[in-house]
Amino acid sequence: MVDPLAEVVTLLQPRARFSKVVGAAGSWRVRRSHAGQPFYCVVLEGESCLTVGGEAPLPLQQGDFVLIPESHDFAMTSMQPPPHDVPDAAPAQLPHGEFRLGDIGGAAQTVLLVGHCEFASPDATLLVSLLPQLIHIRGEQRLATIVQLVSGESRAQRPGRDVVLAHLLEVLLIEALRSSAGTAASPGLLRGLADERLAQALRRMHGEITAPWTVAQLAKEAALSRSAFFDRFNRAVGVAPMAYLLRWRMAQARHLLRSQNSVAEVAQRVGYGSASAFSVAFTRHVGLPPARYALTLPNALPA
């Protein structure tokens, strides 16, 4: 059976790019604004609060894992943050490579592993739109085991540390995506897969991408009425069923064009009856006709 999450993760190509251990004590706050970079945080010890995009603060405790697939403005603070008019202090780097926030004189009350990953796929923006805006995992034993390995490796100075840590973080990111399907995630593919009825429709869309799906047919796969399916899908996944199908077809089309398939072949493989109909849809969605898009790719052959 087709696994939609595995397909999306495979196309995303997640890689750990940067990580650091940050200790904190007392009252502290750090704010960041990133141009859509994926950000993750593991609470190794203690507790803290995360605020994303003006939403209510999210309390974090030891063992928690957070992934923001496309981060912009967010803040990490102590449970009792400093007043808003108090300037944020930059993290201080200690001699052994760890960073400190707040009171650097005493023992750390909170220890975080924070960092950025990257999605190597050229279609990362399109694929990230299928994921929740925030993934928060707590109480997952498999994830906790990987976190322990990451924690031990991040604090050790053994040969090959950076290589081992990079691979562990990749596994951690994938396991987090997989684990979050059973949590109260924000709208996205993972929340849709956690709904048994919607999961059946999603698997059919991914497994038979060339089928001429309609909302009525997908509702039948989910054993729901057309209106109930449409509303339930929209709330869980964050987009309408046909909009989701279009995004997935366009992601696959871009992947196939990078493999130097002809426009006609790509059109057929993503469910369009003609190359012209596919070209219109692709141009509207991507901003370039498929033939021109293929020429912009590395190692593209002349038409």
Side-chain angles (χ1 to χ4, degrees), residues 23-73:
S27 181
W28 55 274
R29 177 177 55 230
V30 60
R31 285 178 279 208
R32 293 289 183 264
S33 180
H34 300 125
Q37 298 180 60
F39 168 82
Y40 62 89
C41 171
V42 182
V43 183
L44 301 178
E45 296 177 18
E47 55 187 1
S48 66
C49 270
L50 171 68
T51 304
V52 180
E55 296 292 329
L58 173 65
L60 302 176
Q61 62 188 39
Q62 183 171 328
D64 281 12
F65 176 87
V66 170
L67 171 65
I68 308 174
E70 191 176 26
S71 68
H72 292 281
D73 297 324

Side-chain angles (χ1 to χ4, degrees), residues 134-198:
L134 172 67
I135 295 170
H136 174 215
I137 311 287
R138 174 177 292 169
E140 287 288 338
Q141 186 54 51
R142 285 173 57 86
L143 199 68
T145 300
I146 302 172
V147 167
Q148 289 177 352
L149 292 171
V150 170
S151 175
E153 194 65 35
S154 65
R155 295 175 173 183
Q157 297 297 325
R158 291 176 288 194
R161 170 187 176 274
D162 291 343
V163 174
V164 173
L165 188 57
H167 286 297
L168 283 174
L169 287 170
E170 288 175 23
V171 174
L172 179 62
L173 292 172
I174 294 170
E175 183 63 28
L177 289 171
R178 184 163 61 180
S179 299
S180 64
T183 69
S186 57
L189 173 61
L190 303 177
R191 188 163 155 188
L193 291 173
D195 184 317
E196 187 175 333
R197 296 282 185 91
L198 299 182

Side-chain angles (χ1 to χ4, degrees), residues 180-253:
S180 64
T183 69
S186 57
L189 173 61
L190 303 177
R191 188 163 155 188
L193 291 173
D195 184 317
E196 187 175 333
R197 296 282 185 91
L198 299 182
Q200 178 62 21
L202 284 163
R203 292 190 189 101
R204 292 301 301 273
M205 274 193 274
H206 279 252
E208 299 178 39
I209 192 174
T210 60
W213 292 112
T214 64
V215 174
Q217 290 170 327
L218 291 168
K220 186 177 180 180
E221 294 293 333
L224 294 167
S225 71
R226 185 185 184 283
S227 59
F229 170 73
F230 183 88
D231 292 343
R232 192 158 159 174
F233 193 101
N234 217 357
R235 287 197 306 270
V237 184
V239 295
M242 292 297 99
Y244 177 89
L245 180 60
L246 176 62
R247 290 185 187 184
W248 181 240
R249 282 174 167 166
M250 292 300 106
Q252 288 285 9

Side-chain angles (χ1 to χ4, degrees), residues 260-278:
Q260 298 181 354
N261 292 279
S262 70
V263 172
E265 183 179 4
V266 173
Q268 183 180 26
R269 291 177 64 178
V270 298
Y272 286 85
S274 69
S276 59
F278 165 68

